Amino acid sequence: MKKNTEIRNQLFNTISGLTDEQLNKHPEEGRWSIIQVMDHLYLMERAITKGITDTLAADVRNKAADKPIHLAVNRSRKVEAPAYLEPSSEFITLESITEKLAQSREMLSEVTKHAEEEDLENKSFPHPIFSNLSLKQWIPFVGIHELRHIEQIEELKAKL
């Protein structure tokens, strides 16, 4: 979780100094605004936390081989977000998205803090690209996914 915290700090450093209007602006037709990217990150972290929670509660072991999740930062391959991870099109303030991201991080931290290492290593659930990921790999995937979108935010910032 320490690395995830560092990446989250990097995310907020990336948007430092931007106004709510800039964060909600669509610099390109058909692309998310910066705030929508951040809302997507919130939705993703919540979904991963729910997946981990549900998998820990299940009495099923499904060990998964380690996958090259570090490749997720490569944005040359576009991945469409499933509908449940699509961000809101409403105007969202930085204060609001900051609170939502703090909530989702707290939930993830609580779940992982109380999880048994054996369960994290021997339980898994599917990822749309990597197939089954162990719970142990899902935790750093949160940060890796954020790194992918920090690059997207940098591109959007350059077009503001």
Side-chain angles (χ1 to χ4, degrees):
M1 287 299 295
K2 183 179 179 208
K3 185 68 174 166
N4 284 351
T5 300
E6 292 169 11
I7 294 167
R8 179 63 57 84
N9 290 338
Q10 184 182 345
L11 171 69
F12 282 108
N13 287 338
T14 301
I15 62 155
S16 178
L18 296 177
T19 65
D20 287 340
E21 288 69 25
Q22 289 172 313
L23 292 169
N24 282 274
K25 184 176 179 171
H26 292 268
E28 280 186 8
E29 185 68 32
R31 288 194 66 190
W32 292 344
S33 65
I34 292 170
I35 210 79
Q36 284 179 303
V37 173
M38 296 177 72
D39 192 37
H40 166 73
L41 294 175
Y42 158 74
L43 294 170
M44 183 72 154
E45 187 167 43
R46 252 188 24 184
I48 290 170
T49 301
K50 181 176 180 356
I52 292 172
T53 302
D54 292 350
T55 304
L56 285 170
D59 198 22
V60 176
R61 296 229 184 278
N62 186 11
K63 191 169 175 85
D66 282 351
K67 306 297 187 325
I69 60 174
H70 65 280
L71 297 176
V73 295
N74 181 348
R75 294 191 62 246
S76 65
R77 180 175 180 198
K78 183 147 172 60
V79 178
E80 289 295 322
Y84 66 95
L85 297 176
E86 289 274 338
S88 170
S89 58
E90 301 293 316
F91 187 93
I92 301 173
T93 64
L94 177 58
E95 180 181 1
S96 174
I97 201 66
T98 300
E99 288 173 16
K100 287 167 75 172
L101 285 164
Q103 288 173 346
S104 61
R105 181 52 51 88
E106 180 60 28
M107 290 168 49
L108 178 63
S109 294
E110 280 301 307
V111 168
T112 59
K113 188 184 336 177
H114 294 84
E116 298 290 331
E117 188 68 26
E118 182 182 346
D119 286 337
L120 295 175
E121 290 176 3
N122 295 305
K123 292 186 173 195
S124 65
F125 66 94
H127 181 277
I129 305 297
F130 296 110
S131 187
N132 277 353
L133 284 182
S134 69
L135 302 186
K136 191 171 187 170
Q137 277 204 295
W138 271 110
I139 297 164
F141 181 80
V142 171
I144 291 167
H145 178 254
E146 286 190 7
L147 282 174
R148 176 184 179 90
H149 287 291
I150 288 170
E151 186 178 322
Q152 179 183 10
I153 289 170
E154 291 287 6
E155 291 171 6
L156 292 168
K157 267 178 47 177
K159 294 178 181 183
L160 286 176

